[in-house]
mmCIF file of all heavy atoms in Angstrom:
data_model
loop_
_atom_site.group_PDB
_atom_site.id
_atom_site.type_symbol
_atom_site.label_atom_id
_atom_site.label_comp_id
_atom_site.label_asym_id
_atom_site.label_seq_id
_atom_site.Cartn_x
_atom_site.Cartn_y
_atom_site.Cartn_z
ATOM 1 N N PRO A 145 0.835 -1.125 0.089
ATOM 2 C CA PRO A 145 0.032 -0.048 -0.075
ATOM 3 C C PRO A 145 0.888 1.283 0.051
ATOM 4 O O PRO A 145 1.924 1.405 0.686
ATOM 5 C CB PRO A 145 -0.830 -0.082 1.233
ATOM 6 C CG PRO A 145 -0.087 -1.068 2.181
ATOM 7 C CD PRO A 145 0.689 -1.950 1.200
ATOM 8 N N LYS A 146 0.507 2.219 -0.709
ATOM 9 C CA LYS A 146 1.143 3.486 -0.720
ATOM 10 C C LYS A 146 0.855 4.439 0.376
ATOM 11 O O LYS A 146 -0.426 4.456 0.685
ATOM 12 C CB LYS A 146 0.884 4.212 -2.114
ATOM 13 C CG LYS A 146 1.318 3.496 -3.279
ATOM 14 C CD LYS A 146 1.174 4.176 -4.596
ATOM 15 C CE LYS A 146 1.547 3.387 -5.822
ATOM 16 N NZ LYS A 146 1.326 4.107 -7.124
ATOM 17 N N PRO A 147 1.704 5.168 0.980
ATOM 18 C CA PRO A 147 1.335 6.058 1.957
ATOM 19 C C PRO A 147 0.597 7.195 1.452
ATOM 20 O O PRO A 147 0.729 7.611 0.256
ATOM 21 C CB PRO A 147 2.745 6.463 2.566
ATOM 22 C CG PRO A 147 3.721 6.063 1.554
ATOM 23 C CD PRO A 147 3.261 4.990 0.710
ATOM 24 N N ALA A 148 -0.239 7.694 2.380
ATOM 25 C CA ALA A 148 -1.063 8.816 1.879
ATOM 26 C C ALA A 148 -0.083 10.076 1.752
ATOM 27 O O ALA A 148 0.779 10.344 2.425
ATOM 28 C CB ALA A 148 -2.054 9.258 2.931
ATOM 29 N N GLU A 149 -0.269 10.775 0.589
ATOM 30 C CA GLU A 149 0.668 11.942 0.333
ATOM 31 C C GLU A 149 0.004 13.120 0.835
ATOM 32 O O GLU A 149 -1.170 13.389 0.662
ATOM 33 C CB GLU A 149 0.948 12.056 -1.187
ATOM 34 C CG GLU A 149 1.768 10.921 -1.707
ATOM 35 C CD GLU A 149 2.171 11.083 -3.253
ATOM 36 O OE1 GLU A 149 2.119 12.233 -3.619
ATOM 37 O OE2 GLU A 149 2.307 9.982 -3.876
ATOM 38 N N GLU A 150 0.831 14.004 1.493
ATOM 39 C CA GLU A 150 0.349 15.351 1.927
ATOM 40 C C GLU A 150 0.387 16.292 0.786
ATOM 41 O O GLU A 150 1.352 16.209 0.002
ATOM 42 C CB GLU A 150 1.256 15.885 3.121
ATOM 43 C CG GLU A 150 0.648 15.711 4.366
ATOM 44 C CD GLU A 150 1.676 16.506 5.510
ATOM 45 O OE1 GLU A 150 1.535 17.674 5.466
ATOM 46 O OE2 GLU A 150 2.240 15.723 6.116
ATOM 47 N N PRO A 151 -0.613 17.147 0.614
ATOM 48 C CA PRO A 151 -0.515 18.269 -0.407
ATOM 49 C C PRO A 151 0.804 18.969 -0.209
ATOM 50 O O PRO A 151 1.088 19.236 0.916
ATOM 51 C CB PRO A 151 -1.747 19.069 -0.289
ATOM 52 C CG PRO A 151 -2.387 18.415 1.000
ATOM 53 C CD PRO A 151 -1.706 17.325 1.490
ATOM 54 N N PRO A 152 1.415 19.451 -1.157
ATOM 55 C CA PRO A 152 2.610 20.237 -1.073
ATOM 56 C C PRO A 152 2.460 21.510 -0.239
ATOM 57 O O PRO A 152 3.432 21.890 0.467
ATOM 58 C CB PRO A 152 3.012 20.650 -2.550
ATOM 59 C CG PRO A 152 2.267 19.568 -3.391
ATOM 60 C CD PRO A 152 1.022 19.160 -2.618
ATOM 61 N N ALA A 153 1.387 22.121 -0.256
ATOM 62 C CA ALA A 153 1.150 23.354 0.508
ATOM 63 C C ALA A 153 1.213 23.051 2.026
ATOM 64 O O ALA A 153 1.701 23.834 2.788
ATOM 65 C CB ALA A 153 -0.157 23.982 0.104
ATOM 66 N N ALA A 154 0.629 21.848 2.349
ATOM 67 C CA ALA A 154 0.701 21.594 3.772
ATOM 68 C C ALA A 154 2.025 21.319 4.325
ATOM 69 O O ALA A 154 2.521 21.634 5.382
ATOM 70 C CB ALA A 154 -0.280 20.391 4.137
ATOM 71 N N VAL A 155 2.923 20.603 3.411
ATOM 72 C CA VAL A 155 4.254 20.332 3.777
ATOM 73 C C VAL A 155 4.967 21.604 3.857
ATOM 74 O O VAL A 155 5.828 21.812 4.771
ATOM 75 C CB VAL A 155 4.870 19.365 2.718
ATOM 76 C CG1 VAL A 155 6.343 19.348 2.849
ATOM 77 C CG2 VAL A 155 4.244 18.091 2.644
ATOM 78 N N GLU A 156 4.820 22.556 2.902
ATOM 79 C CA GLU A 156 5.484 23.800 3.015
ATOM 80 C C GLU A 156 5.166 24.681 4.165
ATOM 81 O O GLU A 156 6.034 25.220 4.809
ATOM 82 C CB GLU A 156 5.246 24.601 1.718
ATOM 83 C CG GLU A 156 5.969 25.820 1.552
ATOM 84 C CD GLU A 156 5.843 26.535 0.229
ATOM 85 O OE1 GLU A 156 5.535 25.889 -0.862
ATOM 86 O OE2 GLU A 156 5.682 27.855 0.296
ATOM 87 N N GLU A 157 3.932 24.539 4.596
ATOM 88 C CA GLU A 157 3.401 25.307 5.771
ATOM 89 C C GLU A 157 4.019 24.692 6.910
ATOM 90 O O GLU A 157 4.487 25.407 7.933
ATOM 91 C CB GLU A 157 1.922 25.280 5.867
ATOM 92 C CG GLU A 157 1.361 26.053 6.914
ATOM 93 C CD GLU A 157 -0.231 26.094 6.899
ATOM 94 O OE1 GLU A 157 -0.757 26.078 5.905
ATOM 95 O OE2 GLU A 157 -0.726 25.982 8.092
ATOM 96 N N THR A 158 4.180 23.445 6.964
ATOM 97 C CA THR A 158 4.763 22.683 8.172
ATOM 98 C C THR A 158 6.169 23.009 8.297
ATOM 99 O O THR A 158 6.750 23.415 9.350
ATOM 100 C CB THR A 158 4.599 21.205 8.120
ATOM 101 O OG1 THR A 158 3.221 20.823 7.975
ATOM 102 C CG2 THR A 158 5.224 20.404 9.230
ATOM 103 N N VAL A 159 6.956 23.084 7.146
ATOM 104 C CA VAL A 159 8.348 23.513 7.173
ATOM 105 C C VAL A 159 8.469 24.932 7.688
ATOM 106 O O VAL A 159 9.337 25.274 8.441
ATOM 107 C CB VAL A 159 8.951 23.313 5.759
ATOM 108 C CG1 VAL A 159 10.408 23.863 5.630
ATOM 109 C CG2 VAL A 159 8.983 21.806 5.402
ATOM 110 N N ASN A 160 7.609 25.809 7.204
ATOM 111 C CA ASN A 160 7.704 27.183 7.590
ATOM 112 C C ASN A 160 7.363 27.290 9.127
ATOM 113 O O ASN A 160 8.129 28.127 9.751
ATOM 114 C CB ASN A 160 6.717 28.041 6.830
ATOM 115 C CG ASN A 160 7.178 28.301 5.313
ATOM 116 O OD1 ASN A 160 8.305 28.166 4.986
ATOM 117 N ND2 ASN A 160 6.236 28.673 4.383
ATOM 118 N N ASP A 161 6.407 26.588 9.527
ATOM 119 C CA ASP A 161 6.156 26.643 11.029
ATOM 120 C C ASP A 161 7.445 26.183 11.871
ATOM 121 O O ASP A 161 7.752 26.669 12.899
ATOM 122 C CB ASP A 161 4.934 25.777 11.303
ATOM 123 C CG ASP A 161 3.751 26.344 10.794
ATOM 124 O OD1 ASP A 161 3.674 27.566 10.425
ATOM 125 O OD2 ASP A 161 2.682 25.653 10.779
ATOM 126 N N ALA A 162 8.063 25.020 11.281
ATOM 127 C CA ALA A 162 9.249 24.638 12.024
ATOM 128 C C ALA A 162 10.446 25.609 11.968
ATOM 129 O O ALA A 162 11.082 25.755 12.995
ATOM 130 C CB ALA A 162 9.709 23.277 11.422
ATOM 131 N N VAL A 163 10.517 26.259 10.800
ATOM 132 C CA VAL A 163 11.596 27.406 10.781
ATOM 133 C C VAL A 163 11.316 28.465 11.692
ATOM 134 O O VAL A 163 12.264 28.934 12.341
ATOM 135 C CB VAL A 163 11.734 27.861 9.306
ATOM 136 C CG1 VAL A 163 12.661 28.990 9.179
ATOM 137 C CG2 VAL A 163 12.299 26.701 8.316
ATOM 138 N N ASP A 164 10.020 28.875 11.757
ATOM 139 C CA ASP A 164 9.720 29.983 12.645
ATOM 140 C C ASP A 164 9.855 29.528 14.142
ATOM 141 O O ASP A 164 10.511 30.377 14.997
ATOM 142 C CB ASP A 164 8.135 30.335 12.508
ATOM 143 C CG ASP A 164 8.006 30.997 11.140
ATOM 144 O OD1 ASP A 164 8.868 31.441 10.571
ATOM 145 O OD2 ASP A 164 6.805 31.071 10.732
ATOM 146 N N ALA A 165 9.390 28.337 14.532
ATOM 147 C CA ALA A 165 9.750 27.940 15.782
ATOM 148 C C ALA A 165 11.176 27.786 16.226
ATOM 149 O O ALA A 165 11.677 28.254 17.289
ATOM 150 C CB ALA A 165 9.023 26.536 15.970
ATOM 151 N N THR A 166 11.949 27.469 15.271
ATOM 152 C CA THR A 166 13.519 27.264 15.541
ATOM 153 C C THR A 166 14.055 28.709 15.584
ATOM 154 O O THR A 166 14.892 28.931 16.545
ATOM 155 C CB THR A 166 14.182 26.550 14.333
ATOM 156 O OG1 THR A 166 13.561 25.258 14.068
ATOM 157 C CG2 THR A 166 15.666 26.334 14.542
ATOM 158 N N THR A 167 13.645 29.578 14.883
ATOM 159 C CA THR A 167 14.065 30.972 14.890
ATOM 160 C C THR A 167 13.760 31.613 16.226
ATOM 161 O O THR A 167 14.610 32.225 16.812
ATOM 162 C CB THR A 167 13.566 31.853 13.758
ATOM 163 O OG1 THR A 167 13.905 31.215 12.511
ATOM 164 C CG2 THR A 167 14.043 33.287 13.763
ATOM 165 N N GLU A 168 12.457 31.288 16.710
ATOM 166 C CA GLU A 168 11.998 31.878 17.956
ATOM 167 C C GLU A 168 12.851 31.340 19.174
ATOM 168 O O GLU A 168 13.264 32.011 20.202
ATOM 169 C CB GLU A 168 10.545 31.680 18.181
ATOM 170 C CG GLU A 168 9.693 32.489 17.393
ATOM 171 C CD GLU A 168 8.286 32.161 17.428
ATOM 172 O OE1 GLU A 168 7.849 31.447 18.369
ATOM 173 O OE2 GLU A 168 7.428 32.655 16.520
ATOM 174 N N ALA A 169 13.131 30.044 18.994
ATOM 175 C CA ALA A 169 13.961 29.322 20.060
ATOM 176 C C ALA A 169 15.286 29.880 20.129
ATOM 177 O O ALA A 169 15.890 30.131 21.198
ATOM 178 C CB ALA A 169 13.909 27.691 19.930
#
């Protein structure tokens, strides 16, 4: 079975959130 793929926008948003959290930390 193939894993469910996240839409690219959601992945980009998650990466941006991680970058923001890292910058704040």
